[in-house]
């Protein structure tokens, strides 16, 4: 049904969902009835960061911006799965008023890993603690990411630890700057 739509791209703000949608062509490669349709669909799927930077080539310099320090957590499915990691950083670095600070181990897992966090909390919690410590060391006012699961995991853990940074999806940070 998606291929019947007259669109150039399907945008996603979820690293895990986007990674899966981009893999439809591969996942259905052995299905002769759906192979071509799945491949055509997958080629049009873009992460919002990828779309804004690589395709739209958005210029943020005219935005009023925000003020504060920002760091970024690489979601596993975006960085390793889709190969998208420089684009979110470019958006943050180009945003007026933002001081971008790279955290230690930015591309290490946050402990969410989908259902992993529910099945193996004894492993997930120490992983998240490492991420929260990395975030805290930056002195950031905001920590952004591009995955709802990572966002929930990080936000909850920051709140439990009483840490200062506000966790936001990168699109929410951009929306705040746009307003």
């Amino acid at each position: 049904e998606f291929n019947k739509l007259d669109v150039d791209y399907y945008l996603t703000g979820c690293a895990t969902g986007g990674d899966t949608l981009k893999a439809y062509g591969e996942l259905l490669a052995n299905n002769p009835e759906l192979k071509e349709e799945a491949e055509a669909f997958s080629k049009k799927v873009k992460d919002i960061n990828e779309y804004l930077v690589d395709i739209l080539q958005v210029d943020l310099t005219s935005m009023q911006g925000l003020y504060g320090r920002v760091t970024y957590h690489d979601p596993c499915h975006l960085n390793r799965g889709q190969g998208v990691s420089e684009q979110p950083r470019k958006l943050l670095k180009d945003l007026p008023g933002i001081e971008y600070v790279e955290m230690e181990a930015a591309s290490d897992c946050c402990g969410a890993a989908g259902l992993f966090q529910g099945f193996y909390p004894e492993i997930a919690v120490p992983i998240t603690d490492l991420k929260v410590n990395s975030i805290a060391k930056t002195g950031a006012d905001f920590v952004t990411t591009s995955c709802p699961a990572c966002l929930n995991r990080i936000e909850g853990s920051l709140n439990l630890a009483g840490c200062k940074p506000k966790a936001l999806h990168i699109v929410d940070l951009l929306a705040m700057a746009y307003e």
Side-chain angles (χ1 to χ4, degrees):
E1 292 300 313
F2 277 109
N3 286 340
K4 292 179 183 175
L5 299 174
D6 184 24
V7 298
D8 295 325
Y9 303 102
Y10 302 101
L11 301 182
T12 179
C14 173
T16 305
D19 192 34
T20 302
L21 295 174
K22 284 182 176 184
Y24 274 14
E26 183 182 328
L27 294 171
L28 296 171
N30 294 327
N31 184 326
E33 294 176 25
L34 297 176
K35 178 183 176 183
E36 285 183 35
E37 190 173 342
E39 287 174 351
F41 171 76
S42 289
K43 288 178 185 175
K44 289 183 173 186
V45 175
K46 301 292 177 199
D47 174 74
I48 188 67
N49 296 283
E50 181 181 30
Y51 177 75
L52 290 172
V53 173
D54 298 342
I55 296 165
L56 196 57
Q57 297 179 351
V58 67
D59 178 9
L60 300 180
T61 58
S62 64
M63 293 179 80
Q64 71 183 41
L66 293 170
Y67 296 93
R69 298 180 106 198
V70 177
T71 193
Y72 181 76
H73 162 70
D74 284 293
C76 296
H77 285 104
L78 190 61
N79 181 24
R80 288 185 278 290
Q82 298 181 55
V84 175
S85 70
E86 291 306 314
Q87 296 90 332
R89 287 169 174 79
K90 178 170 179 15
L91 291 169
L92 295 171
K93 290 175 183 177
D94 288 354
L95 193 58
I98 290 295
E99 177 189 352
Y100 178 77
V101 182
E102 184 77 15
M103 76 172 85
E104 289 177 18
S107 64
D108 286 2
C109 182
C110 68
L115 293 175
F116 177 86
Q117 62 189 319
F119 289 123
Y120 304 101
E122 70 281 1
I123 298 171
V125 170
I127 291 171
T128 305
D129 289 346
L130 290 172
K131 182 60 67 172
V132 167
N133 288 335
S134 292
I135 294 166
K137 285 180 189 177
T138 67
D141 300 300
F142 302 99
V143 56
T144 59
T145 189
S146 299
C147 174
C150 295
L151 178 61
N152 287 337
R153 182 77 186 184
I154 290 169
E155 182 176 40
S157 298
L158 286 169
N159 289 341
L160 286 172
C163 290
K164 167 185 145 184
K166 180 169 177 54
L168 296 167
H169 191 288
I170 194 167
V171 172
D172 290 326
L173 185 80
L174 293 173
M176 286 172 57
Y178 182 74
E179 293 172 353

